[in-house]
């Protein structure tokens, strides 16, 4: 199929739920139409998430990598089961891990900074290769907000990407520079959220 009409930029931001969900939905649609997709998640390392399991096991033409902390429960399970990598044991741990309130995976320290910089280097490589029709940089806006990435370098990366590569930038607190560069901008507004309103923590298959 022709991909000459591709190359636009999407920005999904705001404080409401749905930014990653929208990004993953677009990726699934693209794969269904025979496009090659690469997803890079910034500041996320839980290899048991539904989107990553689906991509690895059920969807063709899609690459999916994460740069972030593993869930502390996942780390314990890895050691217990004798695995070195999170990609070998989805089925074994999927029913054993329930996301709680510890927030370990969201600690933003020097290690998270390192993860983000590594994710950025991978993003540059993928975006300039011209090999992929759609690239999703999930939570890159958050990495920019925490100053883990240099805004000028991210803007330069976007401007110099392969011309026929469609690009998605997700995460709350998108900068005005990113908004100005994007062709699509969607702001998810939080009206209600079960964690904020009812203290209901993340649920399997809905939030992860």
């Amino acid at each position: 199929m022709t991909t000459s009409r591709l190359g636009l930029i999407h920005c999904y931001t705001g404080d409401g739920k749905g930014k990653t969900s929208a990004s993953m939905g677009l990726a699934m649609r693209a794969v269904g139409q025979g496009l090659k997709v690469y997803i890079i998640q910034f500041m996320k390392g839980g290899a048991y998430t539904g989107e990553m399991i689906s991509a690895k096991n059920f969807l063709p033409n899609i690459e999916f990598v994460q740069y972030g902390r593993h869930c502390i429960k996942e780390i314990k399970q890895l050691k217990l089961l004798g695995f070195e990598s999170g990609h070998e044991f989805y089925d074994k741990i999927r029913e054993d891990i329930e996301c709680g309130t510890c927030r370990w995976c969201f600690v933003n320290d020097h290690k998270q900074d390192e993860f983000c910089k590594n994710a950025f280097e991978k993003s540059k490589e993928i975006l300039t290769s011209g090999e992929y029709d759609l690239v999703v940089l999930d939570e890159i806006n958050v990495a920019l907000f925490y100053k883990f990435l240099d805004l000028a370098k991210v803007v330069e990366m976007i401007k110099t990407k392969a011309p026929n590569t469609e690009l998605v930038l997700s995460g709350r607190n998108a900068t005005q520079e990113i908004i100005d560069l994007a062709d699509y901008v969607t702001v998810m507004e939080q009206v209600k959220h079960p964690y904020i309103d009812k203290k209901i923590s993340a649920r399997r298959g809905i939030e992860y």
Side-chain angles (χ1 to χ4, degrees):
M1 63 173 292
T2 179
T3 58
S4 60
R5 297 184 65 200
L6 299 180
L8 299 184
I9 300 166
H10 307 236
C11 176
Y12 303 147
T13 191
D15 60 1
K17 173 178 166 54
K19 300 174 289 294
T20 295
S21 301
S23 302
M24 298 305 117
L26 182 60
M28 185 175 70
R29 174 182 288 164
V31 168
Q33 294 290 359
L35 302 183
K36 290 186 68 176
V37 175
Y38 206 107
I39 297 171
I40 297 174
Q41 288 193 316
F42 288 71
M43 304 175 70
K44 289 180 177 177
Y48 60 90
T49 56
E51 61 264 31
M52 191 168 196
I53 294 168
S54 293
K56 294 289 184 181
N57 292 300
F58 308 118
L59 297 177
N61 292 337
I62 188 167
E63 297 289 336
F64 197 127
V65 294
Q66 293 180 323
Y67 291 85
R69 294 178 181 279
H70 285 296
C71 169
I72 194 69
K73 296 179 182 178
E74 181 183 349
I75 293 170
K76 290 177 181 178
Q77 287 285 49
L78 280 169
K79 292 179 179 178
L80 182 65
L81 296 170
F83 289 109
E84 296 296 327
S85 166
H87 306 305
E88 301 176 38
F89 74 122
Y90 295 128
D91 292 336
K92 291 183 180 295
I93 70 166
R94 189 163 19 182
E95 297 305 321
D96 295 331
I97 292 181
E98 287 292 343
C99 188
T101 59
C102 74
R103 315 305 285 172
W104 162 258
C105 55
F106 296 112
V107 173
N108 294 316
D109 57 5
H110 69 282
K111 189 63 178 177
Q112 195 76 281
D113 180 271
E114 182 182 332
F115 281 131
C116 288
K117 287 177 169 54
N118 290 337
F120 175 69
E121 292 302 318
K122 187 65 176 181
S123 300
K124 287 195 298 182
E125 173 192 333
I126 296 302
L127 280 171
T128 57
S129 71
E131 185 179 349
Y132 295 91
D133 303 307
L134 172 67
V135 175
V136 176
L137 304 183
D138 188 37
E139 307 294 0
I140 190 171
N141 292 331
V142 180
L144 282 165
F145 176 76
Y146 281 105
K147 310 296 184 185
F148 293 144
L149 301 177
D150 181 87
L151 176 59
K153 291 181 179 179
V154 173
V155 168
E156 179 66 15
M157 175 184 70
I158 295 169
K159 289 181 175 179
T160 57
K161 72 176 181 64
N164 291 334
T165 296
E166 198 90 356
L167 173 61
V168 175
L169 308 153
S170 78
R172 61 179 61 206
N173 299 311
T175 67
Q176 190 60 50
E177 289 84 352
I178 296 297
I179 290 171
D180 290 344
L181 280 172
D183 301 287
Y184 299 84
V185 177
T186 300
V187 179
M188 312 291 186
E189 179 186 1
Q190 181 175 290
V191 178
K192 286 185 176 182
H193 194 289
Y195 181 75
I196 301 298
D197 300 317
K198 300 178 181 179
K199 303 305 178 186
I200 297 174
S201 59
R203 295 170 297 145
R204 184 185 307 279
I206 304 300
E207 275 80 33
Y208 67 94

